[in-house]
Amino acid sequence: MKKLSLLFLLTFITLCSGQTPQKLKTQSFKITQTECIKKKGFRLQLKSVIADSRCPEGVDCIWAGEVKIVVMVYKDRKFLNETTMTVSSKQLAENTAWFSKYVPLGKKNIKNISVFPYPKEGNPIDPKAYYIKIDYLK
């Protein structure tokens, strides 16, 4: 009986430890500088990038840097307000809370906020090329 119990226990432990965790499915959406005509609900638009102090690719920097942006909020095609915010790893929780107020219900589980394009050494970024990318769990 002891051998049977031991065999059962070893089989159980092997089966339990062999399970792989489920991968979380993330999706993303962009907030651009182009105007979009949407009749109902909230709409966000990137107005401008005020400062971009991120460390360019190909350069060694002491810190990662940050981006200061201005985001405009519209509701039902009417301008509500504009907010200046800093996008960096330190402000992720604060920025996530702000964006969550204005995105649809299915996109509120925000995991990351990024500004693209990322700077590269020797290549200036066209101010009109900037956009915000928001990753969320589906």
Side-chain angles (χ1 to χ4, degrees):
M1 184 70 177
K2 287 183 181 180
K3 288 182 181 180
L4 185 59
S5 297
L6 182 62
L7 180 62
F8 176 74
L9 182 62
L10 287 173
T11 304
F12 181 75
I13 291 172
T14 304
L15 290 174
C16 288
S17 64
Q19 295 178 355
T20 56
Q22 255 186 336
K23 286 188 176 183
L24 299 174
K25 293 183 180 180
T26 59
Q27 291 190 338
S28 63
F29 63 93
K30 294 179 183 180
I31 299 171
T32 64
Q33 296 181 49
T34 52
E35 293 196 34
C36 159
I37 298 174
K38 186 175 180 182
K39 296 185 181 197
K40 296 201 179 209
F42 288 106
R43 185 177 59 81
L44 300 171
Q45 180 182 353
L46 176 63
K47 181 178 181 181
S48 63
V49 174
I50 299 171
D52 188 352
S53 65
R54 296 175 292 175
C55 183
E57 291 178 3
V59 176
D60 291 327
C61 300
I62 297 172
W63 71 304
E66 58 190 27
V67 183
K68 287 192 178 209
I69 59 174
V70 179
V71 180
M72 297 188 300
V73 181
Y74 292 86
K75 182 169 185 191
D76 301 333
R77 297 177 67 183
K78 294 180 182 164
F79 176 77
L80 287 182
N81 63 40
E82 69 180 40
T83 301
T84 302
M85 66 177 66
T86 301
V87 178
S88 73
S89 59
K90 292 179 183 178
Q91 278 86 15
L92 181 61
E94 180 182 326
N95 293 343
T96 297
W98 186 87
F99 277 107
S100 292
K101 293 188 289 186
Y102 302 110
V103 297
L105 186 60
K107 299 179 180 181
K108 289 190 182 289
N109 197 357
I110 297 172
K111 292 299 167 195
N112 192 35
I113 301 167
S114 307
V115 177
F116 286 96
Y118 198 83
K120 294 181 182 175
E121 182 181 17
N123 294 337
I125 298 173
D126 178 8
K128 294 178 183 177
Y130 282 107
Y131 65 92
I132 303 166
K133 180 182 173 196
I134 299 182
D135 300 319
Y136 63 95
L137 288 178
K138 186 172 183 183

